[in-house]
Amino acid sequence: MKFQTISTQPFSDQKPGTSGLRKRVKVFQHPHYLENFVQSIFDTLEIPANATLTLGGDGRYYNRVAIQTIIKIAAANGFAKVMVGQGGILSTPAASHVIRKYQTFGGIILSASHNPGGPDNDFGIKYNTTNGGPAPEKITEAIFAKSKTIAQYRLADIPDMDIDTLGTQKVNGFTVEVIDPVADYADLMESLFDFDAIRALFKTGFRMKFDAMHAVTGPYAKEVFLNRLGADASSVMNCEASEDFGGGHPDPNLTYAHDLVEIMYGDDAPDFGAASDGDGDRNMILGKHFFVTPSDSLALIAANARIVKGYSGGIAGVARSMPTSAAVDKVAQSLDIPCYETPTGWKFFGNLMDAGKVTLCGEESFGTGSSHVREKDGLWAVLLWLNILAIKRQSVEQIVMRHWLQFGRNVYSRHDYEDIPTDEANAVIQHLRDSMPGLVGKTFGQYKVATCDDFSYTDPIDGSVSTKQGLRVLFEDGSRIVYRLSGTGTEGATLRIYLEAFEPDSAKHGLDAQVLLQEMIQIALQLSQLKEKTGREKPTVIT
Ligand code: G1P
Ligand code: ZN
């Protein structure tokens, strides 16, 4: 393959965050910026002969430009073939599946997940390894190290490729195969869930509303819900993907998925509502006038997995990120299966799934998934819920209330303070770090502090240690407050406060989480001195 070697200079800011490198589009548009990072990835890998790379993204602004560039750099770095989703599209879970199914030498996924898109918003890139999952820290750190010393990159002498026509093109011995981004993924879903049962549920007049938020899941949702499951066309909304997600913020939560929330809390609400994010890995689950927290959703899925075709043999174990509520721990205990607590970010689940130790994983941040791929998977979660509903024939609210009756309720909420000046956010964290040792044994209202720590995790499979993963104040009754700075933002700092209080009393289960957590919220503010140090009166987003 003929290629040019282009001289470049390093950028100092290419440290991958919680899920890859995320920056403003304008930053990615700096000459050599994308190229440097992609070359740094390839310099870190030992690319075998005849290797194939999976490539696709969530379709946001700059996706198509980046795809052409990456194809040329891949060709110049020894890849024999690139498999790219038609139009440059692959949802994150679909990309993970393609890597696994075709055993490609990993893949590059272009997405800034739920962050807004468009010329003034965000773009992102990450490398997933051959298991289909996000590269572990060892690799992302090595990529960062390379990016700091890079002096040149390689660009193949090939024209822009046609990424819109399905099929195979060859140029100078290098192959680009454009694949249907939906078909393999839809087949996988059909293998896991009882589509007949779900079809029968729709035939009873059961109504659902899925909101694709103008993002990547639009075509996937149409194929799965409408074509394969026979749902009525009104069951999906915002399925026309656009480069700026219709100008919206494609994050499926109560704040940003407001169109759907209005419908689900309206007079003529359907039975089931769901939404997914920019790249299709997140999910929000709603019933009629009812919100299911992601932590509860994970617990419920674990408790009911056995009734679902793909999991009828039982689940090996579960894992949740540290800030996710302990609701699933209780289910694991009752099933007598292990439950792992990992740092925030899907990459920490990969080793556990590869080793067969866990089947289901979840994060409080609207991420749920299983070992069918190595990413969280929004539509998978929606289908799993549909499958449970199809078998139980109870409402979403009934299912959740019965679950709480059995296990108690881990009342949960996350308060995000977005776009805080970095020094102010650091001051809050520093203050907490300094004061934590003195908190142990102190009582705040009805809560007594049992321990405080900065969460650190030792991977049980490879022994790698991740420190400083969030400050925890743990109370004697199992309630807790966790503070963490976001690792996915591109502007200022986002401080996340995670609040959890265990409520065994079923008489209180019907109450709103914010009401039940009132005292906890005050304690969290008092301990952090957030108002004093940042001047913020209230959170930007409450989930
Ligand atoms: C956020 C979520 C985290 C998730 C990540 C990628 O990261 O909190 O659970 O894995 O997005 O979707 P954060 O911004 O908190 O670092
Ligand atoms: Zn996402």
mmCIF file of all heavy atoms in Angstrom, residues 113 277 279 281-282, ligand 2:
data_model
loop_
_atom_site.group_PDB
_atom_site.id
_atom_site.type_symbol
_atom_site.label_atom_id
_atom_site.label_comp_id
_atom_site.label_asym_id
_atom_site.label_seq_id
_atom_site.Cartn_x
_atom_site.Cartn_y
_atom_site.Cartn_z
ATOM 1 N N SER A 113 -21.405 9.883 22.535
ATOM 2 C CA SER A 113 -22.535 9.317 23.274
ATOM 3 C C SER A 113 -23.729 10.258 23.347
ATOM 4 O O SER A 113 -24.307 10.608 22.338
ATOM 5 C CB SER A 113 -22.055 8.899 24.670
ATOM 6 O OG SER A 113 -23.064 8.211 25.342
ATOM 7 N N ASP A 277 -29.886 6.802 23.724
ATOM 8 C CA ASP A 277 -29.071 8.007 23.566
ATOM 9 C C ASP A 277 -28.425 8.119 22.185
ATOM 10 O O ASP A 277 -28.734 7.358 21.269
ATOM 11 C CB ASP A 277 -28.010 8.069 24.662
ATOM 12 C CG ASP A 277 -26.903 7.058 24.433
ATOM 13 O OD1 ASP A 277 -27.202 5.989 23.859
ATOM 14 O OD2 ASP A 277 -25.755 7.330 24.810
ATOM 15 N N ASP A 279 -25.619 7.298 20.757
ATOM 16 C CA ASP A 279 -24.975 6.150 20.117
ATOM 17 C C ASP A 279 -25.648 4.825 20.454
ATOM 18 O O ASP A 279 -25.125 3.761 20.130
ATOM 19 C CB ASP A 279 -23.488 6.094 20.473
ATOM 20 C CG ASP A 279 -23.260 5.915 21.971
ATOM 21 O OD1 ASP A 279 -24.111 6.383 22.756
ATOM 22 O OD2 ASP A 279 -22.244 5.318 22.354
ATOM 23 N N ASP A 281 -26.338 3.203 23.342
ATOM 24 C CA ASP A 281 -25.987 2.277 24.413
ATOM 25 C C ASP A 281 -26.744 2.544 25.719
ATOM 26 O O ASP A 281 -26.743 1.716 26.610
ATOM 27 C CB ASP A 281 -24.459 2.225 24.651
ATOM 28 C CG ASP A 281 -23.860 3.563 24.969
ATOM 29 O OD1 ASP A 281 -24.604 4.575 24.992
ATOM 30 O OD2 ASP A 281 -22.625 3.625 25.192
ATOM 31 N N ARG A 282 -27.382 3.704 25.824
ATOM 32 C CA ARG A 282 -28.128 3.995 27.061
ATOM 33 C C ARG A 282 -29.610 3.718 26.879
ATOM 34 O O ARG A 282 -30.113 3.707 25.743
ATOM 35 C CB ARG A 282 -27.974 5.462 27.454
ATOM 36 C CG ARG A 282 -26.585 5.809 27.880
ATOM 37 C CD ARG A 282 -26.517 7.221 28.433
ATOM 38 N NE ARG A 282 -25.190 7.441 28.991
ATOM 39 C CZ ARG A 282 -24.869 8.427 29.800
ATOM 40 N NH1 ARG A 282 -25.788 9.315 30.141
ATOM 41 N NH2 ARG A 282 -23.646 8.548 30.267
HETATM 42 ZN ZN ZN B 2 -23.934 6.445 24.826
#
